[in-house]
Amino acid sequence: MKRFFKPIEKDGSTAPKKPCLSPEKRNGDGDGVEEGKNQKEPTKFVTWNANSFLLRVKNDWSELSKLVSDFDPDVIAIQEVRMPAAGGKGKPKNYGELSDDTKALREEKQILMRALSSPPFGNYRVWWSLAESKYAGTALFVKKCFKPQKVYFNLDKLASKHEPDGRVILAEFETFRLLNTYSPNNGWKEEENSFQRRRKWDKRIVDFLSQTSDKPLIWCGDLNVSHEEIDVSHPDFFATAKLNGYVPPNKEDCGQPGFTPSERARFGTIMKEGRLVDAYRYLHKEPDMESGFSWSGNPIGKYRGKRMRIDYFLVSEQLKDRIVSCKMHGRGIELEGFYGSDHCPVSLELSKPSSYSEENQVSN
């Protein structure tokens, strides 16, 4: 969605001090990790578009730490990291590594890594997929007691390749796959980086689902679409929204990005063909004007109070009976529980699979 928040600033002397850097290497190399011993699978998940993870660490650390400590997720999926990939000008990029190519970037990386080496994040291993600039990017935090069999950074499951803008992290566990995506915004026009880009993305998602149906999937992230009218606070407002008076030639492309008829129809097709269940809507069938949305517009201006649910947990039908809870952690038009972002965290908890025996369970 369109952002309403200030860009990353240099760290000032008023920034809260963070614990010293951990000497442990925290980044994956893009080729996955070796399969570990048979362990209990993750059952608690959080997804969040942080709208600059560095800013959230600098400005909202105590609240964010409390959320993670209280819910104690096994996996945390972040979108819009907005930290550039390593590799200076004219040099090859390492999209799985934070840049420290300038003094400012080194300082920013140090702030972030200090925070991530301290509780509660010190208990997680992190994988990054980053853009070339402070744009987009994703991160995946997995508790160290859970070892993915493989981690990919693209929908094609090719080792070391990263999607443009770092939009995908795919972790393969023994009994399921977890897909974290920052799906492209549809935009307002019939252009390469707007409607056309989103159509291509949706087609690739369908292809991915058809090629990975051998194992249940948990797909989470900012999917940048509101499927039904119940998923927006003001359906008429979003259905008739325009940018500078422009009206697309195809009426199916009219309206707020994320709520156009064409996007919503394609999303329905994706869910049907992928046999996916919307975990939140599976449990919450009635409208919730207080805490039923994950994105909120600028508190000042015409988008005040206008909210959408565009952040999801979609799970394969085989997993739906294991859904214990799926919750939006933000509420109200004053962005309570958004922790400085324009999106709030969303959590999912699954029950343990009945097939697990006691000897295969490892305590956190």
Side-chain angles (χ1 to χ4, degrees):
M1 303 305 298
K2 184 178 178 181
R3 307 301 169 202
F4 303 101
F5 299 86
K6 62 183 180 180
I8 295 175
E9 301 171 351
K10 288 187 176 181
D11 182 40
S13 58
T14 58
K17 291 185 178 181
K18 304 294 188 299
C20 294
L21 262 171
S22 166
E24 177 185 355
K25 182 179 179 183
R26 302 185 60 81
N27 290 316
D29 59 7
D31 288 326
V33 296
E34 294 182 0
E35 181 178 357
K37 294 181 180 179
N38 203 9
Q39 296 189 30
K40 183 176 64 174
E41 300 275 79
T43 58
K44 297 177 73 176
F45 310 86
V46 165
T47 183
W48 185 35
N49 180 322
N51 191 16
S52 173
F53 193 50
L54 175 66
L55 273 184
R56 304 292 75 83
V57 167
K58 289 170 64 175
N59 300 336
D60 307 277
W61 176 251
S62 60
E63 296 87 351
L64 176 57
S65 296
K66 187 176 187 305
L67 170 71
V68 174
S69 296
D70 289 349
F71 184 68
D72 192 28
D74 300 324
V75 177
I76 305 170
I78 300 291
Q79 305 86 46
E80 281 210 270
V81 172
R82 292 175 67 178
M83 295 282 283
K89 198 171 184 180
K91 297 179 181 179
K93 294 290 185 181
N94 182 349
Y95 296 102
E97 179 80 30
L98 297 170
S99 177
D100 57 4
D101 298 299
T102 67
K103 181 180 179 181
L105 288 173
R106 282 193 294 273
E107 291 174 352
E108 291 175 351
K109 180 177 179 179
Q110 187 179 49
I111 291 170
L112 192 55
M113 298 310 291
R114 280 176 176 169
L116 298 184
S117 68
S118 66
F121 285 95
N123 194 33
Y124 296 83
R125 183 177 178 186
V126 59
W127 287 265
W128 308 98
S129 188
L130 305 168
E132 296 189 8
S133 61
K134 290 181 177 179
Y135 172 73
T138 52
L140 188 70
F141 295 82
V142 180
K143 276 189 177 178
K144 293 174 183 176
C145 59
F146 303 111
K147 294 184 179 181
Q149 295 176 324
K150 200 77 173 174
V151 177
Y152 302 96
F153 305 96
N154 58 83
L155 294 174
D156 305 310
K157 297 180 65 178
L158 299 175
S160 299
K161 175 188 172 184
H162 287 250
E163 289 286 341
D165 302 326
R167 293 185 178 275
V168 169
I169 301 181
L170 173 65
E172 186 154 340
F173 295 91
E174 182 178 355
T175 63
F176 69 88
R177 294 184 179 94
L178 181 110
L179 177 64
N180 170 25
T181 71
Y182 176 37
S183 301
N185 188 291
N186 189 58
W188 296 89
K189 295 184 178 182
E190 183 63 69
E191 296 176 346
E192 184 177 350
N193 287 328
S194 293
F195 296 167
Q196 295 174 29
R197 178 179 67 165
R198 182 62 192 232
R199 291 190 197 111
K200 291 176 182 177
W201 171 270
D202 289 345
K203 173 63 166 59
R204 291 189 64 209
I205 289 291
V206 170
D207 293 342
F208 166 81
L209 293 172
S210 68
Q211 295 164 10
T212 56
S213 59
D214 59 309
K215 189 179 286 190
L217 176 70
I218 299 173
W219 178 17
C220 67
D222 177 357
L223 307 192
N224 257 320
V225 62
S226 294
H227 188 205
E228 305 287 356
E229 287 195 357
I230 191 177
D231 297 316
V232 297
S233 60
H234 298 75
D236 291 342
F237 172 87
F238 288 115
T240 58
K242 301 174 186 177
L243 180 66
N244 300 325
Y246 175 77
V247 178
N250 183 350
K251 67 178 182 179
E252 296 300 303
D253 293 319
C254 293
Q256 177 76 28
F259 196 63
T260 64
S262 58
E263 291 173 272
R264 295 166 59 194
R266 290 198 304 269
F267 191 65
T269 298
I270 288 170
M271 292 182 61
K272 181 178 180 180
E273 294 193 6
R275 296 182 178 180
L276 298 172
V277 174
D278 179 348
Y280 178 81
R281 192 57 66 207
Y282 181 72
L283 297 180
H284 306 276
K285 305 251 186 327
E286 299 299 322
D288 184 349
M289 294 299 293
E290 184 67 12
S291 55
F293 310 103
S294 64
W295 175 87
S296 187
N298 191 341
I300 301 174
K302 70 177 183 178
Y303 275 87
R304 175 176 173 79
K306 308 301 191 299
R307 293 166 289 167
M308 308 176 75
R309 188 172 71 94
I310 58 177
D311 303 85
Y312 291 80
F313 279 99
L314 303 181
V315 304
S316 295
E317 288 183 351
Q318 303 100 297
L319 299 176
K320 70 178 182 180
D321 292 334
R322 290 179 52 198
I323 299 173
V324 174
S325 67
C326 188
K327 178 182 177 183
M328 308 284 158
H329 287 260
R331 57 189 297 115
I333 64 176
E334 302 299 335
L335 307 184
E336 178 187 344
F338 282 66
Y339 308 102
S341 178
D342 51 352
H343 296 245
C344 72
V346 182
S347 64
L348 171 72
E349 182 173 1
L350 301 178
S351 61
K352 293 179 176 61
S354 57
S355 60
Y356 277 134
S357 59
E358 289 297 327
E359 60 265 27
N360 286 335
Q361 294 191 20
V362 180
S363 64
N364 288 342

